[in-house]
Amino acid sequence: MPKRIIFHIDVNSAFLSWEAVNQLKKGSNIDLRTIPSIVAGDQSRRHGVVLARSIPAKKFGIITGEPVIKAVRKCPNVTIVPPSHGIYTQCSNAMTELIMTITPDIEKYSIDECFVDVSGLRLKYGNDFLSIARTIKSRIKKELGFTVNIGISENKILAKMASDFKKPDRIHTLFRDEMKEKMWPLPVSELFMVGKASYKKFKLMGIETIGDLALSDASLLEERFGKYGRMIWEYANGIDDSPVQTEESEAKDLSNEITIGFDITDKETARLYILSLCETVGMRLRKSGLYANVIGINIKNSEFESYSKRKKIQTPTQNTNEIFAVATELFEQVWKRDPIRLIGVATTQLQSEPPIQLNMFDSLSKQSSNVKKLDESIDKIREKYGNKYLVRGSLLNLNKDCNS
Amino acid sequence: MKFSCNKQDLMEAINIVQKAVMTKATIPILEGIYIETNDSLKMVGNCYDMGIECSINADIQQKGSIVLNSRMFGDIVRRLPNSEVFIQVKPNFNVIIECDNSYFEIKGLSAEGYPMLPTVEEEQKISVSQTSLRNMIRKTIYAISNDENRKILTGSLIEANDGDLSMVALDGFRLAVAKVMIKEDTNFKAVIPGKNLTEIYKILEQSDKDVKITLSKNQALFELEQCRIISKLLEGEYMNYKNFLPEQFETNIVVDVSEIIESIERASLITNDDKRYPVKIVIEDNKMLITSNTDVGISKEELLININGNNMTIGFNPKYLLDSLKVADEEKVEIFFSSSVGPCIIKPIEGDSFVFMILPVRIK
């Protein structure tokens, strides 16, 4: 079994499906999906392009992206609905929320598709990923009223290719050992990231299918197309290491704050709250694989006045204790000894893992790698059993207060 | 007080003593240069951390002393014509400065209360040529730490031991040791603030003339022909730097210094200022590849070298490598790698005039 299992979930004719669901909800007795219909811009002026089409509309040869006028020529009876983006966002969010109940490792790739890393569900479901996919698919259909295609593979590119196979309402796998049979015979224009322009260039090079591309010389492609050449060759060969980026990993900054039920007036209590905030911030940073360059503290006093201080640190960090050390240092510098109502810890200028300059005093970084392991272990335990079960001694009483 | 002297001699002396004068002090006298005529003309700058006394030839007509604002005095003398300068103090502390057709009369301050240089008890004394001391400072000073939390590391250790004089600086990421032989068989250790060493470096000349170094409990005295420099010492115990130096190595190579400097400089061209990118060094098949990979692009450099030991892949902050290599003053050096996550050491092929140690960057 491969290391990672990635799902690509793609809503079938998203805008149209969502439009249909919405109209049915409003009491319409026609399901747009069962008649030739399109979602298109400004129909009164007969302008705009086809944004989505129903499967019966597809049978008339209507293609997404073509002018409405052309579509009408192909099928004079086509039902045209204007897009209602608010509803799409709602539907999209509803889908994300539904998947979130199964796993948080989800990357919203666009409004109607997402990647989900289900590798972590092994503990619970073993290797039966098909049944997870079936669950997701049927729950979306039953609870939200629209259908999706799910592509299953070991990385994002193959999962995305797989979800594009036969539609609608299907689950397809495309693991690397199925690639030759399922993906390579497809025309190269079907490959993700191959547009019209590069398709033409490939054709001139005698590359017709994805297989042709996969078997051509990578360095030659790299020479001709630069980085894109290397990437597209890797895609054709089903190579893609990119992680499923949860929302937090794209965050520019990451912070946490708490409004306390009473006013904090002493340093020790404040420190405990700061520690507790640092724990969450640290955990989120580690979860998204990010390191903070700047750490800040925010305070709002009982008069609702806010003030803050931040500091750029020498080496970016995601370690709870290091964040805590800086946060308390800042707190002591900035706190005006007024009653505190709200306290917050912020991290900004986030970056991916920095190269680590080794230091003579850290007994050659052994210590820092141990600290990292400790943080990771704590995170794992908390992720599995919840935050309540592994608590810092100093925070025992604090958490009791919070829970009550 | 009344004297005359050569403008250039005077300017030189002002330039030297100014290095120890505060530009902003709480009391005006501390922003001044002390001038005294006795048997010779003596000038003093003193900021407690460091004091400099300089003597020059002058025709002394009347003994006395005065303090003049350092910046003002310096600016005036700098712009005087290259001729004889006449200086005279009036009873109201006004100072007349005359040179050819120029005439100034500026306010001076009573020399009373000027902090004179302390006398340094001659406990241990060694001598070394100015050039040697200069080189030692140059080979180590870049490795001084600027972390005020580890105050002791903001200075350089100067250590005499059985005929060797070494200077050591380390900031946790790298370590530099420079060594010369001395005639004296004394043993001492002291840590001199880096800031003062930088100034002393500027005063020292490329010359075989000696500089005498005297140490007392909390001061070091550097005596040159025309001037005396007193530096306070940093308190505390310096790290036992020898413990950091690895003894076993996986790989060692010999490289041409100017070649490797040029390669690293090119490889670090494609970094931006905000982010520090490491350079990656791959050693295999008698070749050294220096590559960098940044958000701007990639680069690769290839050098032919002699390898002893295993292949090696290791990352470094290019600045650290350059800082050390640039002061090596050798055509070729030997580089020893302890491991891909352990310190590397740069040494001359022969002798032990320096040892540079650099810690790598852990790369993926």
Side-chain angles (χ1 to χ4, degrees), chain B residues 287-318:
Chain B
K287 268 188 311 197
M288 180 184 212
L289 292 179
I290 303 173
T291 61
S292 58
N293 184 350
T294 73
D295 53 7
V296 182
I298 58 164
S299 78
K300 188 176 95 179
E301 295 280 335
E302 201 175 301
L303 286 178
L304 288 178
I305 49 161
N306 294 322
I307 306 179
N308 239 319
N310 302 334
N311 292 346
M312 173 72 57
T313 299
I314 189 166
F316 284 104
N317 176 342

Side-chain angles (χ1 to χ4, degrees), chain A residues 325-341:
Chain A
V326 179
T328 43
E329 179 194 323
L330 291 172
F331 174 77
E332 271 159 39
Q333 287 170 15
V334 75
W335 185 38
K336 297 173 183 161
R337 306 290 180 272
D338 44 6
I340 302 168
R341 199 187 130 76

Side-chain angles (χ1 to χ4, degrees), chain B residues 78-115:
Chain B
R78 189 167 299 115
R79 284 172 179 77
L80 291 177
N82 282 336
S83 182
E84 197 174 6
V85 183
F86 297 85
I87 293 182
Q88 185 184 352
V89 180
K90 301 214 300 198
N92 60 358
F93 298 122
N94 273 9
V95 180
I96 297 166
I97 304 170
E98 268 183 292
C99 180
D100 284 355
N101 301 322
S102 305
Y103 177 93
F104 287 86
E105 189 171 327
I106 58 170
K107 282 186 182 134
L109 292 163
S110 161
E112 220 169 291
Y114 192 86

Side-chain angles (χ1 to χ4, degrees), chain A residues 314 355-358 360-361 365, chain B residues 172 174 341 359-362:
Chain A
Q314 276 211 323
I356 297 165
Q357 169 67 56
L358 300 175
M360 298 178 197
F361 311 135
S365 77
Chain B
R174 65 269 181 77
V341 288
L359 273 85
V361 166
R362 194 204 302 266

